[in-house]
Amino acid sequence: MRVMLKATLDTEKANEILHTGKMQDLLMETIDHIKPEAAYFGPADGHRTCFLIFDMKESSDLPPVGEPFFSHLNAKVEIFPIMNLEDLQAGLAKLR
């Protein structure tokens, strides 16, 4: 299932990781593991935020996906199902 992960990073913890020079390595390691089809980064609600869109094959994939954000960045993590336009069109066709 296509999902979006929104990780809102704790500013203090992110500053610490950033100043040690480990932010890029941590993010790249996480992205290499998740293999998102899209990854976006920017401020949301005044915090550094990551948006990753990826295919989560099983619910048991949730712990290894979220844990790096929890344990290393003290992040608030949300994961929710999403659709692209083709998915939406297929879903709407099923309503007929």
Side-chain angles (χ1 to χ4, degrees), residues 51-77:
F51 299 92
L52 304 177
I53 299 166
F54 63 100
D55 183 37
M56 188 161 61
K57 296 183 184 355
E58 299 179 19
S59 58
S60 62
D61 293 335
L62 189 55
V65 165
E67 197 55 41
F69 294 104
F70 290 129
S71 62
H72 297 293
L73 295 165
N74 200 25
K76 175 183 174 187
V77 178

PDB file of all heavy atoms in Angstrom, residues 51-77:
ATOM      1  N   PHE A  51       8.873  14.287   4.433  1.00  0.00           N
ATOM      2  CA  PHE A  51       7.712  13.619   3.853  1.00  0.00           C
ATOM      3  C   PHE A  51       8.244  12.552   2.910  1.00  0.00           C
ATOM      4  O   PHE A  51       8.924  12.879   1.936  1.00  0.00           O
ATOM      5  CB  PHE A  51       6.845  14.607   3.066  1.00  0.00           C
ATOM      6  CG  PHE A  51       6.281  15.725   3.896  1.00  0.00           C
ATOM      7  CD1 PHE A  51       6.965  16.924   4.017  1.00  0.00           C
ATOM      8  CD2 PHE A  51       5.067  15.585   4.547  1.00  0.00           C
ATOM      9  CE1 PHE A  51       6.456  17.970   4.770  1.00  0.00           C
ATOM     10  CE2 PHE A  51       4.552  16.631   5.304  1.00  0.00           C
ATOM     11  CZ  PHE A  51       5.241  17.818   5.419  1.00  0.00           C
ATOM     12  N   LEU A  52       7.969  11.298   3.202  1.00  0.00           N
ATOM     13  CA  LEU A  52       8.434  10.201   2.371  1.00  0.00           C
ATOM     14  C   LEU A  52       7.229   9.414   1.874  1.00  0.00           C
ATOM     15  O   LEU A  52       6.348   9.051   2.663  1.00  0.00           O
ATOM     16  CB  LEU A  52       9.348   9.264   3.162  1.00  0.00           C
ATOM     17  CG  LEU A  52      10.569   9.894   3.840  1.00  0.00           C
ATOM     18  CD1 LEU A  52      11.323   8.840   4.635  1.00  0.00           C
ATOM     19  CD2 LEU A  52      11.472  10.553   2.821  1.00  0.00           C
ATOM     20  N   ILE A  53       7.188   9.174   0.578  1.00  0.00           N
ATOM     21  CA  ILE A  53       6.107   8.400  -0.026  1.00  0.00           C
ATOM     22  C   ILE A  53       6.708   7.081  -0.471  1.00  0.00           C
ATOM     23  O   ILE A  53       7.682   7.055  -1.231  1.00  0.00           O
ATOM     24  CB  ILE A  53       5.478   9.169  -1.196  1.00  0.00           C
ATOM     25  CG1 ILE A  53       4.893  10.475  -0.659  1.00  0.00           C
ATOM     26  CG2 ILE A  53       4.423   8.315  -1.894  1.00  0.00           C
ATOM     27  CD1 ILE A  53       4.534  11.487  -1.686  1.00  0.00           C
ATOM     28  N   PHE A  54       6.131   5.980   0.021  1.00  0.00           N
ATOM     29  CA  PHE A  54       6.703   4.675  -0.281  1.00  0.00           C
ATOM     30  C   PHE A  54       5.639   3.590  -0.194  1.00  0.00           C
ATOM     31  O   PHE A  54       4.529   3.820   0.283  1.00  0.00           O
ATOM     32  CB  PHE A  54       7.870   4.355   0.666  1.00  0.00           C
ATOM     33  CG  PHE A  54       7.483   4.246   2.111  1.00  0.00           C
ATOM     34  CD1 PHE A  54       7.288   3.014   2.698  1.00  0.00           C
ATOM     35  CD2 PHE A  54       7.322   5.384   2.894  1.00  0.00           C
ATOM     36  CE1 PHE A  54       6.932   2.904   4.036  1.00  0.00           C
ATOM     37  CE2 PHE A  54       6.976   5.298   4.231  1.00  0.00           C
ATOM     38  CZ  PHE A  54       6.771   4.036   4.798  1.00  0.00           C
ATOM     39  N   ASP A  55       6.000   2.402  -0.662  1.00  0.00           N
ATOM     40  CA  ASP A  55       5.113   1.253  -0.622  1.00  0.00           C
ATOM     41  C   ASP A  55       5.417   0.453   0.644  1.00  0.00           C
ATOM     42  O   ASP A  55       6.530  -0.035   0.811  1.00  0.00           O
ATOM     43  CB  ASP A  55       5.324   0.393  -1.865  1.00  0.00           C
ATOM     44  CG  ASP A  55       4.383  -0.792  -1.913  1.00  0.00           C
ATOM     45  OD1 ASP A  55       3.220  -0.646  -1.497  1.00  0.00           O
ATOM     46  OD2 ASP A  55       4.808  -1.863  -2.380  1.00  0.00           O
ATOM     47  N   MET A  56       4.423   0.351   1.522  1.00  0.00           N
ATOM     48  CA  MET A  56       4.593  -0.459   2.724  1.00  0.00           C
ATOM     49  C   MET A  56       3.862  -1.779   2.475  1.00  0.00           C
ATOM     50  O   MET A  56       2.637  -1.823   2.408  1.00  0.00           O
ATOM     51  CB  MET A  56       4.051   0.234   3.977  1.00  0.00           C
ATOM     52  CG  MET A  56       4.397  -0.526   5.229  1.00  0.00           C
ATOM     53  SD  MET A  56       4.312   0.409   6.783  1.00  0.00           S
ATOM     54  CE  MET A  56       2.618   0.875   6.840  1.00  0.00           C
ATOM     55  N   LYS A  57       4.636  -2.819   2.278  1.00  0.00           N
ATOM     56  CA  LYS A  57       4.079  -4.113   1.895  1.00  0.00           C
ATOM     57  C   LYS A  57       3.338  -4.808   3.045  1.00  0.00           C
ATOM     58  O   LYS A  57       2.336  -5.469   2.831  1.00  0.00           O
ATOM     59  CB  LYS A  57       5.183  -5.007   1.351  1.00  0.00           C
ATOM     60  CG  LYS A  57       5.791  -4.464   0.063  1.00  0.00           C
ATOM     61  CD  LYS A  57       6.823  -5.379  -0.510  1.00  0.00           C
ATOM     62  CE  LYS A  57       7.526  -4.879  -1.727  1.00  0.00           C
ATOM     63  NZ  LYS A  57       7.155  -3.669  -2.339  1.00  0.00           N
ATOM     64  N   GLU A  58       3.840  -4.670   4.262  1.00  0.00           N
ATOM     65  CA  GLU A  58       3.237  -5.328   5.420  1.00  0.00           C
ATOM     66  C   GLU A  58       3.241  -4.375   6.608  1.00  0.00           C
ATOM     67  O   GLU A  58       4.142  -3.553   6.741  1.00  0.00           O
ATOM     68  CB  GLU A  58       4.031  -6.575   5.800  1.00  0.00           C
ATOM     69  CG  GLU A  58       4.102  -7.625   4.727  1.00  0.00           C
ATOM     70  CD  GLU A  58       4.928  -8.830   5.160  1.00  0.00           C
ATOM     71  OE1 GLU A  58       5.139  -9.014   6.386  1.00  0.00           O
ATOM     72  OE2 GLU A  58       5.356  -9.566   4.271  1.00  0.00           O
ATOM     73  N   SER A  59       2.282  -4.533   7.483  1.00  0.00           N
ATOM     74  CA  SER A  59       2.251  -3.678   8.674  1.00  0.00           C
ATOM     75  C   SER A  59       3.465  -3.918   9.561  1.00  0.00           C
ATOM     76  O   SER A  59       3.877  -3.030  10.305  1.00  0.00           O
ATOM     77  CB  SER A  59       0.954  -3.885   9.460  1.00  0.00           C
ATOM     78  OG  SER A  59       0.812  -5.237   9.834  1.00  0.00           O
ATOM     79  N   SER A  60       4.072  -5.084   9.451  1.00  0.00           N
ATOM     80  CA  SER A  60       5.276  -5.362  10.237  1.00  0.00           C
ATOM     81  C   SER A  60       6.476  -4.534   9.768  1.00  0.00           C
ATOM     82  O   SER A  60       7.510  -4.505  10.444  1.00  0.00           O
ATOM     83  CB  SER A  60       5.622  -6.851  10.181  1.00  0.00           C
ATOM     84  OG  SER A  60       5.910  -7.249   8.852  1.00  0.00           O
ATOM     85  N   ASP A  61       6.345  -3.848   8.628  1.00  0.00           N
ATOM     86  CA  ASP A  61       7.402  -2.941   8.161  1.00  0.00           C
ATOM     87  C   ASP A  61       7.422  -1.645   8.962  1.00  0.00           C
ATOM     88  O   ASP A  61       8.389  -0.889   8.902  1.00  0.00           O
ATOM     89  CB  ASP A  61       7.206  -2.591   6.679  1.00  0.00           C
ATOM     90  CG  ASP A  61       7.408  -3.780   5.766  1.00  0.00           C
ATOM     91  OD1 ASP A  61       8.128  -4.720   6.169  1.00  0.00           O
ATOM     92  OD2 ASP A  61       6.852  -3.774   4.652  1.00  0.00           O
ATOM     93  N   LEU A  62       6.376  -1.387   9.707  1.00  0.00           N
ATOM     94  CA  LEU A  62       6.256  -0.120  10.428  1.00  0.00           C
ATOM     95  C   LEU A  62       7.370   0.125  11.453  1.00  0.00           C
ATOM     96  O   LEU A  62       7.975   1.206  11.441  1.00  0.00           O
ATOM     97  CB  LEU A  62       4.888  -0.032  11.100  1.00  0.00           C
ATOM     98  CG  LEU A  62       4.500   1.289  11.719  1.00  0.00           C
ATOM     99  CD1 LEU A  62       4.601   2.430  10.724  1.00  0.00           C
ATOM    100  CD2 LEU A  62       3.091   1.211  12.265  1.00  0.00           C
ATOM    101  N   PRO A  63       7.709  -0.817  12.317  1.00  0.00           N
ATOM    102  CA  PRO A  63       8.785  -0.537  13.289  1.00  0.00           C
ATOM    103  C   PRO A  63      10.126  -0.158  12.658  1.00  0.00           C
ATOM    104  O   PRO A  63      10.714   0.861  13.043  1.00  0.00           O
ATOM    105  CB  PRO A  63       8.875  -1.819  14.108  1.00  0.00           C
ATOM    106  CG  PRO A  63       7.508  -2.403  14.033  1.00  0.00           C
ATOM    107  CD  PRO A  63       7.047  -2.099  12.621  1.00  0.00           C
ATOM    108  N   PRO A  64      10.639  -0.904  11.675  1.00  0.00           N
ATOM    109  CA  PRO A  64      11.938  -0.492  11.119  1.00  0.00           C
ATOM    110  C   PRO A  64      11.887   0.805  10.325  1.00  0.00           C
ATOM    111  O   PRO A  64      12.902   1.475  10.173  1.00  0.00           O
ATOM    112  CB  PRO A  64      12.356  -1.671  10.236  1.00  0.00           C
ATOM    113  CG  PRO A  64      11.146  -2.481  10.002  1.00  0.00           C
ATOM    114  CD  PRO A  64      10.207  -2.198  11.136  1.00  0.00           C
ATOM    115  N   VAL A  65      10.712   1.177   9.845  1.00  0.00           N
ATOM    116  CA  VAL A  65      10.576   2.437   9.110  1.00  0.00           C
ATOM    117  C   VAL A  65      10.571   3.622  10.071  1.00  0.00           C
ATOM    118  O   VAL A  65      11.245   4.622   9.854  1.00  0.00           O
ATOM    119  CB  VAL A  65       9.287   2.428   8.246  1.00  0.00           C
ATOM    120  CG1 VAL A  65       8.934   3.812   7.770  1.00  0.00           C
ATOM    121  CG2 VAL A  65       9.448   1.476   7.065  1.00  0.00           C
ATOM    122  N   GLY A  66       9.818   3.521  11.140  1.00  0.00           N
ATOM    123  CA  GLY A  66       9.671   4.653  12.050  1.00  0.00           C
ATOM    124  C   GLY A  66      10.776   4.802  13.082  1.00  0.00           C
ATOM    125  O   GLY A  66      11.087   5.918  13.522  1.00  0.00           O
ATOM    126  N   GLU A  67      11.393   3.697  13.458  1.00  0.00           N
ATOM    127  CA  GLU A  67      12.339   3.720  14.576  1.00  0.00           C
ATOM    128  C   GLU A  67      13.514   4.678  14.413  1.00  0.00           C
ATOM    129  O   GLU A  67      13.875   5.358  15.382  1.00  0.00           O
ATOM    130  CB  GLU A  67      12.829   2.309  14.879  1.00  0.00           C
ATOM    131  CG  GLU A  67      13.465   2.184  16.236  1.00  0.00           C
ATOM    132  CD  GLU A  67      12.563   2.655  17.371  1.00  0.00           C
ATOM    133  OE1 GLU A  67      11.345   2.378  17.362  1.00  0.00           O
ATOM    134  OE2 GLU A  67      13.098   3.316  18.290  1.00  0.00           O
ATOM    135  N   PRO A  68      14.139   4.788  13.239  1.00  0.00           N
ATOM    136  CA  PRO A  68      15.248   5.757  13.128  1.00  0.00           C
ATOM    137  C   PRO A  68      14.813   7.199  13.459  1.00  0.00           C
ATOM    138  O   PRO A  68      15.564   7.948  14.073  1.00  0.00           O
ATOM    139  CB  PRO A  68      15.692   5.643  11.671  1.00  0.00           C
ATOM    140  CG  PRO A  68      15.267   4.291  11.245  1.00  0.00           C
ATOM    141  CD  PRO A  68      13.989   4.013  11.999  1.00  0.00           C
ATOM    142  N   PHE A  69      13.595   7.542  13.077  1.00  0.00           N
ATOM    143  CA  PHE A  69      13.105   8.893  13.372  1.00  0.00           C
ATOM    144  C   PHE A  69      12.822   9.055  14.866  1.00  0.00           C
ATOM    145  O   PHE A  69      13.112  10.095  15.452  1.00  0.00           O
ATOM    146  CB  PHE A  69      11.848   9.200  12.549  1.00  0.00           C
ATOM    147  CG  PHE A  69      12.114   9.280  11.080  1.00  0.00           C
ATOM    148  CD1 PHE A  69      11.759   8.247  10.231  1.00  0.00           C
ATOM    149  CD2 PHE A  69      12.741  10.394  10.538  1.00  0.00           C
ATOM    150  CE1 PHE A  69      12.004   8.318   8.874  1.00  0.00           C
ATOM    151  CE2 PHE A  69      12.995  10.477   9.178  1.00  0.00           C
ATOM    152  CZ  PHE A  69      12.631   9.433   8.349  1.00  0.00           C
ATOM    153  N   PHE A  70      12.267   8.018  15.480  1.00  0.00           N
ATOM    154  CA  PHE A  70      11.990   8.071  16.915  1.00  0.00           C
ATOM    155  C   PHE A  70      13.280   8.103  17.733  1.00  0.00           C
ATOM    156  O   PHE A  70      13.477   8.975  18.580  1.00  0.00           O
ATOM    157  CB  PHE A  70      11.165   6.852  17.369  1.00  0.00           C
ATOM    158  CG  PHE A  70       9.750   6.833  16.893  1.00  0.00           C
ATOM    159  CD1 PHE A  70       9.240   5.707  16.262  1.00  0.00           C
ATOM    160  CD2 PHE A  70       8.906   7.908  17.097  1.00  0.00           C
ATOM    161  CE1 PHE A  70       7.922   5.659  15.833  1.00  0.00           C
ATOM    162  CE2 PHE A  70       7.584   7.882  16.677  1.00  0.00           C
ATOM    163  CZ  PHE A  70       7.093   6.755  16.039  1.00  0.00           C
ATOM    164  N   SER A  71      14.140   7.138  17.496  1.00  0.00           N
ATOM    165  CA  SER A  71      15.292   6.952  18.379  1.00  0.00           C
ATOM    166  C   SER A  71      16.424   7.938  18.143  1.00  0.00           C
ATOM    167  O   SER A  71      17.114   8.313  19.086  1.00  0.00           O
ATOM    168  CB  SER A  71      15.811   5.522  18.284  1.00  0.00           C
ATOM    169  OG  SER A  71      16.245   5.226  16.981  1.00  0.00           O
ATOM    170  N   HIS A  72      16.640   8.371  16.908  1.00  0.00           N
ATOM    171  CA  HIS A  72      17.760   9.271  16.632  1.00  0.00           C
ATOM    172  C   HIS A  72      17.371  10.749  16.585  1.00  0.00           C
ATOM    173  O   HIS A  72      18.200  11.610  16.848  1.00  0.00           O
ATOM    174  CB  HIS A  72      18.428   8.905  15.300  1.00  0.00           C
ATOM    175  CG  HIS A  72      19.037   7.547  15.302  1.00  0.00           C
ATOM    176  ND1 HIS A  72      20.131   7.218  16.069  1.00  0.00           N
ATOM    177  CD2 HIS A  72      18.695   6.415  14.642  1.00  0.00           C
ATOM    178  CE1 HIS A  72      20.447   5.960  15.873  1.00  0.00           C
ATOM    179  NE2 HIS A  72      19.584   5.442  15.023  1.00  0.00           N
ATOM    180  N   LEU A  73      16.105  11.021  16.229  1.00  0.00           N
ATOM    181  CA  LEU A  73      15.715  12.421  16.032  1.00  0.00           C
ATOM    182  C   LEU A  73      14.577  12.857  16.942  1.00  0.00           C
ATOM    183  O   LEU A  73      14.096  13.972  16.833  1.00  0.00           O
ATOM    184  CB  LEU A  73      15.338  12.647  14.560  1.00  0.00           C
ATOM    185  CG  LEU A  73      16.509  12.475  13.595  1.00  0.00           C
ATOM    186  CD1 LEU A  73      16.012  12.335  12.171  1.00  0.00           C
ATOM    187  CD2 LEU A  73      17.470  13.650  13.714  1.00  0.00           C
ATOM    188  N   ASN A  74      14.128  11.956  17.824  1.00  0.00           N
ATOM    189  CA  ASN A  74      13.038  12.281  18.747  1.00  0.00           C
ATOM    190  C   ASN A  74      11.863  12.903  17.983  1.00  0.00           C
ATOM    191  O   ASN A  74      11.264  13.879  18.414  1.00  0.00           O
ATOM    192  CB  ASN A  74      13.540  13.218  19.850  1.00  0.00           C
ATOM    193  CG  ASN A  74      12.652  13.206  21.058  1.00  0.00           C
ATOM    194  OD1 ASN A  74      11.956  12.233  21.297  1.00  0.00           O
ATOM    195  ND2 ASN A  74      12.680  14.277  21.825  1.00  0.00           N
ATOM    196  N   ALA A  75      11.549  12.305  16.817  1.00  0.00           N
ATOM    197  CA  ALA A  75      10.551  12.869  15.917  1.00  0.00           C
ATOM    198  C   ALA A  75       9.141  12.397  16.242  1.00  0.00           C
ATOM    199  O   ALA A  75       8.937  11.326  16.817  1.00  0.00           O
ATOM    200  CB  ALA A  75      10.882  12.480  14.473  1.00  0.00           C
ATOM    201  N   LYS A  76       8.195  13.203  15.845  1.00  0.00           N
ATOM    202  CA  LYS A  76       6.794  12.803  15.831  1.00  0.00           C
ATOM    203  C   LYS A  76       6.578  12.191  14.450  1.00  0.00           C
ATOM    204  O   LYS A  76       6.854  12.838  13.432  1.00  0.00           O
ATOM    205  CB  LYS A  76       5.889  14.017  16.037  1.00  0.00           C
ATOM    206  CG  LYS A  76       4.429  13.703  15.928  1.00  0.00           C
ATOM    207  CD  LYS A  76       3.580  14.967  16.073  1.00  0.00           C
ATOM    208  CE  LYS A  76       2.129  14.634  15.815  1.00  0.00           C
ATOM    209  NZ  LYS A  76       1.306  15.857  15.789  1.00  0.00           N
ATOM    210  N   VAL A  77       6.112  10.938  14.386  1.00  0.00           N
ATOM    211  CA  VAL A  77       5.976  10.225  13.120  1.00  0.00           C
ATOM    212  C   VAL A  77       4.508   9.889  12.873  1.00  0.00           C
ATOM    213  O   VAL A  77       3.826   9.350  13.750  1.00  0.00           O
ATOM    214  CB  VAL A  77       6.819   8.930  13.122  1.00  0.00           C
ATOM    215  CG1 VAL A  77       6.634   8.159  11.829  1.00  0.00           C
ATOM    216  CG2 VAL A  77       8.290   9.258  13.349  1.00  0.00           C
TER     217      VAL A  77
END
